[in-house]
């Protein structure tokens, strides 16, 4: 497992959560410093972590409508607006990665999403996220 990418995913979820919570996902926001981080904290991150986190954040923001449609399609029992901010953004980065990261196997992306959910969300969300992503991967392949 690439811990740099794991950290970048966590940072991306946290940044997207902040943007989503403040209704700024579609705004022109300066991401030279990630939301919730100081310049010093950013300086401590490796360049690969910052680049991958920015890639995920920008990818989600640029494909937001498409990603939200995917979530709505696969979350049949819970409408998008009822999904917790953290879970919604974990799903967004996961769908984006499955569709765009050809060098990473979908099971790794799902595993990372589950781990993020277990550490950042509530006790049962990881099952919800795992189920949605697993179904999508089966349909996607």
């Amino acid at each position: 497992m690439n811990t740099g990418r794991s950290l970048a995913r966590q940072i991306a979820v946290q940044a997207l959560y902040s943007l989503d919570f403040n209704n700024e996902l579609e705004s022109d926001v300066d991401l030279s410093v990630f939301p919730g981080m100081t310049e010093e904290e950013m300086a401590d991150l490796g360049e690969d972590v910052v680049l991958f986190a920015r890639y995920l954040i920008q990818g989600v923001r640029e494909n937001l409508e498409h990603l939200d449609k995917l979530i709505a399609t696969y979350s049949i029992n819970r409408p998008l607006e009822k999904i917790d901010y953290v879970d919604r953004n974990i799903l967004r980065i996961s769908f984006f990665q499955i569709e765009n990261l050809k060098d990473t196997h979908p099971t790794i992306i799902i595993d990372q999403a589950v781990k993020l959910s277990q550490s950042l969300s509530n006790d049962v969300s990881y099952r919800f996220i795992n189920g949605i992503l697993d179904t999508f991967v089966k349909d996607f392949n």
Side-chain angles (χ1 to χ4, degrees), residues 43-140:
D44 288 341
L45 297 173
E47 185 179 350
D48 59 327
V49 172
V50 172
L51 289 174
F52 190 60
R54 278 202 181 110
Y55 170 73
L56 294 175
I57 295 165
Q58 279 310 115
V60 166
R61 293 177 76 206
E62 291 169 4
N63 296 282
L64 188 62
E65 188 176 330
H66 169 70
L67 297 170
D68 285 353
K69 282 181 183 176
L70 284 174
I71 294 169
T73 299
Y74 285 90
S75 177
I76 29 183
N77 295 324
R78 197 179 309 177
L80 181 69
E81 61 277 358
K82 297 283 186 191
I83 299 173
D84 179 79
Y85 286 104
V86 172
D87 298 337
R88 186 166 53 213
N89 286 294
I90 290 171
L91 286 168
R92 285 172 174 152
I93 70 164
S94 299
F95 276 116
F96 175 75
Q97 290 176 93
I98 291 166
E99 287 189 327
N100 295 284
L101 288 184
K102 304 304 178 200
D103 66 334
T104 306
H105 197 277
T107 56
I108 293 170
I109 295 167
I110 294 171
D111 181 60
Q112 289 291 302
V114 166
K115 287 179 181 173
L116 280 169
S117 178
Q118 289 172 325
S119 67
L120 300 174
S121 193
N122 64 54
D123 289 343
V124 294
S125 290
Y126 76 92
R127 289 188 198 115
F128 169 71
I129 288 171
N130 186 62
I132 287 176
L133 295 175
D134 190 52
T135 303
F136 174 68
V137 166
K138 287 177 184 167
D139 289 351
F140 186 70

Side-chain angles (χ1 to χ4, degrees), residues 2-65:
N2 184 336
T3 56
R5 281 195 167 191
S6 298
L7 178 58
R9 287 180 180 102
Q10 181 177 341
I11 291 167
V13 168
Q14 291 168 336
L16 289 166
Y17 167 89
S18 176
L19 294 171
D20 195 6
F21 186 81
N22 293 307
N23 292 318
E24 295 177 331
L25 272 175
E26 297 181 269
S27 303
D28 188 23
V29 179
D30 176 26
L31 289 175
S32 57
V33 177
F34 297 133
M37 294 188 90
T38 65
E39 288 184 28
E40 292 78 26
E41 290 170 327
M42 287 283 295
D44 288 341
L45 297 173
E47 185 179 350
D48 59 327
V49 172
V50 172
L51 289 174
F52 190 60
R54 278 202 181 110
Y55 170 73
L56 294 175
I57 295 165
Q58 279 310 115
V60 166
R61 293 177 76 206
E62 291 169 4
N63 296 282
L64 188 62
E65 188 176 330

